[in-house]
Structure formats: C-alpha cells, structure tokens
C-alpha cells in the first residue's frame, strides 16, 4: 500500500497538484492499472479513449446532447468506441465537470480543468488535483451519484450511430487570418525608477439593508376569566323565601367587612393549550423539495410573523393525535438550489438539509412534509432570502435523502428541486417514508 501511495506521489500527503501543457501524460499512467473507474466529463473529443483508460464495467457521464455534437465539443465516435467496449455511457445536458474517481483501494479522485480531448495536450495550460483524502473522495462520489440520477439511461450504439454524421456539422468555421509581416520590436527605454502602480479600488459592496421600524407590539390576548360560583340573584326588597319541595341552595354567610368567599371547584380539569380550532391537515396535492443550508438568523419581521401564525394554528390535537405546530425556515439565493418562487399557501414542502454548496448527500437529513401557511421574499436581505412558514406534525420516521431517492427510483423518478410533484403516484412514493403522518380525508 505504501508503494502504491508513493507511485501516486502521495506517500507523505493526501493531496497533490499536477500542472502543465501535457497534463494527460501524468494522469493516464495513474489510471491505466486501476479498476472500477467512474468519470464525468462535459466534453469528450476524438482520441479520448487513449487518454482516459475506461474498461468494461466502468461508467462515464458526459453531455452527448445534439447541441454538443453539432458544436463538435462531444465526439460520438469516442463514445461509440467505449459503448462497444462495455463501458456504460450516460448523457447529462449542461454537464461541465472534469472528474475521475478510482474506487478501488486506495480510492482517489482526479479533478481539474482538463477535458478528455486530444486537442488539449501540448496546447493548453492545465491544473489538476489528485487526492486520496477520505472525505474529499466521498464528496466526489456523492456529486457523481447525483449527476447519475439526473442523467438519462445508458446510451446504446443505436443512440450514437445516427449522431456520427452530425458531429461538428454546426461548428463555426473561422477563416484563417492573413499572415502579417513580422515587426521588429522597438527598443525599450531603460527605466531607472518604476512608477508606483495605482491601487485598484475595492469592489463596491452592496448597500446595507434599510433599517426597518420595529414591528408594533401585538396586544396580549387576555386570558378567559376563571369560572365563578353561581350565586342567587339579590332582590331589591328582601323577602322570606317560600317553602318548596326543591332542595334549597345553601349559600355561605357573608358578614360585613369580611372578604367575599370564593368556592373552589370540586375537580380541576387541565386547561387547553390553545383556544383555536383544530387546523386543517389535507393530504398533499402539490409537493416541493426545498434545499436548506443551516445557518444565519431570521429577521425581526420574520420572527414577528412566526409568533402571529403560531398563536393562530398551534393545537394539541384531538383524541390523542399528534399536535400541530408552526415552524419557520428560510433559503437564500445563490446557495446551490435556489428556493422555488412558486411557494404559496396550501402546497406542501419537504426540507432537505444540504451542504453549503447546496448539494444534498445520501445521508442528508430531510423533514416530513409541512403545509405552507405563508411565504414571502425579503427583497431587502442580501442575498435575497425566501421565508416560509409551515404547519407540521410529529412523526417517528427519520428517513434520509438517500431513502427519498430510492423511494422515487421504484417508480422510475428522481428528486427534483426545480418543479413540484403533482402526479399522485409520485406523491404517494414520497409519503410512504412517513407512514404514521396521517392526513385528513378529502
């Protein structure tokens, strides 16, 4: 094992940097003896098989869309060579990664600027990082698995052969520039004192958010008056009571100057936690996945709205059912998956807690579906922030994002952070992760 790390140049460290024009001359020898390679390259050029030594059982994700083929950035000839050799090739539109993971022992990841194209060697200056650090390899595997979920099924020879004639058909042909006579550079004057380089002004920072007035204080709702004992009405002129067969009501004697006695109730019933009616808890008909990155603090206005909604919807539940409570979450623009702009009252959301880059891992925590009560965008925040208030209930199930992905895979679907789930079979596949949640019949 030590010899293998030494061959990788990682005998005494876990990361090394490879740079140069002929970068694949350093990468290919590290990959050629390996098994179990998975790779993701947005662009694959002619002669890629000689640079990236994929073998039967290995997997590649690339952008094999018609636009990339027409532009000449992805060669169907190279992909067809791999498919016929037993390599699984998938296509993901918009992929621009350059990543190779060797999953045997020792596992390592190669990531950098180099595309798999014969036009790159000896022409472009490249930089590539090689790492055996455990957490880095695991994060690379999680990213690759996410792309694999988003990509379509593996391509076949029948998918690629019609593209052979399309390769490079839409590529712009730039006429060669006319040769210009070489100019003799003018003699440069000798500079004895270098002029002071002006300092570049700092980049403008966004203006601070305007100070908002403090929210008005909500008057405290008075508590309902305590029940008082029933006393007989007092007539204007005292008169002796007529005898009756009914049992007389005994009243305590009141003497002048003594405090009025208060009768204690025979049994004290537990007071209700709230006097609001039980909120509606409908079965989801439109369901969103929202990527959440923990951190930060809500604004004063957001907290004030949370208090208002909590007073209106918090409920202990009826007949021993799980209680209802209101929760607040927020999502900032630019943290990977931007929050959907179509959040509104009545839809349901599942919170997926992601990394700072906005990427959900297999073990990422997810929360049970919550009913949106209110949502709004804070335009004054920087970056812009979406606040959302949801009605939730307690559940014993604690699934992870990997469980959600497997549940959707059983019906041929994948997690989607851009659009909502509205098809009943998709919603049921998601709700099966929380069988004890319980919803009101429609």
């Amino acid at each position: 094992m030590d010899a293998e790390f030494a061959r990788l140049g990682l005998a005494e460290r876990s990361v090394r940097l490879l740079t140069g024009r002929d970068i694949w001359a350093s990468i290919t020898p590290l990959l050629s003896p390996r098994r179990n390679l998975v790779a993701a390259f947005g662009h694959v050029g002619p002669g890629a098989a000689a640079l990236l030594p994929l073998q039967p059982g290995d997997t590649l994700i690339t952008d094999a869309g018609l636009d990339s083929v027409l532009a000449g950035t992805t060669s169907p000839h190279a992909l067809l060579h791999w498919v016929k050799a037993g390599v699984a090739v998938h296509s993901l539109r918009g992929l621009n990664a350059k990543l190779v993971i060797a999953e045997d022992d020792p596992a390592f990841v190669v990531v950098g600027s180099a595309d798999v194209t014969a036009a790159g060697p000896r022409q472009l200056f490249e930089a590539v990082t090689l790492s055996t650090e455990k957490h880095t390899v695991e994060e690379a595997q999680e990213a690759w698995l996410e792309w694999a979920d988003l990509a379509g099924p593996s391509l076949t020879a029948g998918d690629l052969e019609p593209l052979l004639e399309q390769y490079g058909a839409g590529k712009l042909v730039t006429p060669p520039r006319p040769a210009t006579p070489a100019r003799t550079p003018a003699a440069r004057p000798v500079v004895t004192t270098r002029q002071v380089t002006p300092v570049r002004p700092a980049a403008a920072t966004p203006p601070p958010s305007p100070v908002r007035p403090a929210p008005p204080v909500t008057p405290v709702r008075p508590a309902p008056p305590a029940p008082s004992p029933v006393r007989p009405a007092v007539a204007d002129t005292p008169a002796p009571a007529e005898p009756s067969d009914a049992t007389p009501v005994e009243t305590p004697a009141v003497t002048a100057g003594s405090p009025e006695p208060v009768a204690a109730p025979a049994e004290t019933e537990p007071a209700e936690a709230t006097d609001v009616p039980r909120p509606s808890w409908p079965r989801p008909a439109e369901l969103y996945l929202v990527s959440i990155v923990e951190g930060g603090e809500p604004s004063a206005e957001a907290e004030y709205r949370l208090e208002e909604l909590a007073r209106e919807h918090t409920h202990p539940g009826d007949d021993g059912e799980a209680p209802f409570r209101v929760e607040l979450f927020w999502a900032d623009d630019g943290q990977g998956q931007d929050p959907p702009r179509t959040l509104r009252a009545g839809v349901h959301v599942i919170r997926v807690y992601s990394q700072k880059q906005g990427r959900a891992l297999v073990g990422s925590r997810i929360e049970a579906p919550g009913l949106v009560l209110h949502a709004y965008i804070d335009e004054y925040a920087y970056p812009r922030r979406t606040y959302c208030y949801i009605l939730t209930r307690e559940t014993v199930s604690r699934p992870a994002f990997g469980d959600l992905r497997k549940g959707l895979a059983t019906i041929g679907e994948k997690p989607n952070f851009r659009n909502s789930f509205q098809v009943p079979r998709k919603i049921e596949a998601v709700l099966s992760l929380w069988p004890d949640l319980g919803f009101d019949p429609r």
Side-chain angles (χ1 to χ4, degrees):
M1 183 64 66
D2 293 338
E4 181 66 14
F5 280 114
R7 193 182 69 83
L8 297 175
L10 298 170
E12 298 179 353
R13 53 180 179 165
S14 60
V15 181
R16 61 176 295 203
L17 181 67
L18 306 175
T19 60
R21 286 189 173 185
D22 195 2
I23 196 68
W24 281 102
S26 301
I27 299 175
T28 304
L30 301 176
L31 300 175
S32 55
R34 316 294 293 197
R35 302 289 298 177
N36 300 324
L37 294 180
V38 295
F41 283 90
H43 307 305
V44 174
L51 304 178
L52 184 59
L54 298 178
Q55 303 179 27
D58 296 340
T59 307
L60 169 71
I61 306 175
T62 185
D63 186 352
L66 183 59
D67 293 343
S68 298
V69 173
L70 290 173
T73 56
T74 298
S75 169
H77 300 273
L79 302 182
L80 184 60
H81 171 83
W82 273 322
V83 169
K84 290 183 176 180
V87 177
V89 178
H90 301 261
S91 178
L92 176 59
R93 183 180 180 87
L95 181 69
N96 193 41
K98 293 94 172 176
L99 173 72
V100 186
I101 307 172
E103 295 189 323
D104 53 357
D105 195 19
F108 63 87
V109 58
V110 181
V111 59
S113 63
D115 282 309
V116 192
T117 171
R122 299 183 180 87
Q123 293 186 18
L124 303 176
F125 294 96
E126 306 282 7
V128 172
T129 299
L130 171 67
S131 175
T132 57
E133 200 274 326
K134 176 183 177 182
H135 298 291
T136 302
V137 174
E138 290 177 351
E139 289 176 349
Q141 290 172 328
E142 292 291 345
W144 189 90
L145 287 172
E146 180 179 350
W147 298 331
D149 286 342
L150 296 174
S154 58
L155 301 177
T156 64
D159 297 326
L160 294 170
E161 287 172 352
L163 299 176
L164 299 178
E165 297 182 358
Q166 303 289 336
Y167 178 55
K171 188 176 182 180
L172 296 177
V173 179
T174 304
R177 295 183 180 181
T180 56
R183 294 183 300 175
T184 304
R188 299 176 63 183
V190 178
V191 180
T192 57
T193 303
R194 185 179 299 273
Q195 298 179 355
V196 179
T197 304
V199 179
R200 179 180 298 177
T205 57
S209 302
V211 179
R212 300 181 180 180
V217 179
T218 304
V220 180
R221 180 182 299 176
S228 58
V230 179
R231 299 182 178 83
V234 180
D236 293 339
T237 304
E242 297 180 359
S244 173
D245 295 337
T247 303
V249 178
E250 297 181 359
T251 57
V254 179
T255 58
S258 63
E260 183 179 353
V262 178
E267 295 183 359
T268 304
E269 298 181 357
E272 291 289 340
T274 178
D275 57 351
V276 300
R278 179 187 182 278
S280 175
W281 184 244
R283 196 169 190 83
E286 186 173 357
L287 185 62
Y288 284 90
L289 301 181
V290 181
S291 177
I292 304 297
V293 178
E294 294 183 284
E297 295 292 337
S299 65
E301 178 182 353
E303 290 184 328
Y304 171 68
R305 296 192 184 190
L306 175 62
E307 294 176 359
E308 286 187 324
L309 291 171
R311 283 194 297 268
E312 297 175 5
H313 296 87
T314 300
H315 193 276
D318 293 338
D319 300 328
E321 63 181 1
F324 297 87
R325 65 176 181 272
V326 180
E327 296 184 8
L328 165 66
F329 73 87
W330 57 87
D332 295 339
D333 287 1
Q335 288 187 331
Q337 302 285 355
D338 286 345
R341 299 300 174 198
T342 52
L343 288 180
R344 63 191 182 281
V347 304
H348 287 75
V349 297
I350 294 177
R351 293 161 286 174
V352 180
Y353 289 87
S354 307
Q355 294 181 323
K356 291 184 178 179
Q357 298 82 4
R359 184 178 68 248
L361 305 179
V362 171
S364 294
R365 177 167 56 95
I366 62 176
E367 298 290 350
L371 175 65
V372 176
L373 301 174
H374 177 64
Y376 74 98
I377 300 175
D378 188 352
E379 300 286 354
Y380 292 97
Y382 183 82
R384 189 170 60 169
R385 172 174 288 182
T386 299
Y387 286 104
C388 187
Y389 304 84
I390 58 176
L391 184 67
T392 64
R393 301 184 76 176
E394 184 61 32
T395 172
V396 297
S397 302
R398 294 292 183 268
F401 183 68
D403 301 316
L404 175 64
R405 190 161 59 184
K406 291 178 182 177
L408 290 172
T410 59
I411 59 171
E413 295 294 331
K414 302 172 184 177
N416 188 346
F417 287 88
R418 297 180 179 89
N419 302 309
S420 63
F421 293 106
Q422 300 185 35
V423 179
R425 65 184 183 89
K426 299 179 183 180
I427 295 178
E428 293 303 322
V430 175
L431 296 182
S432 64
L433 300 176
W434 297 275
D436 63 328
L437 200 54
F439 293 97
D440 297 342
R442 288 186 175 276

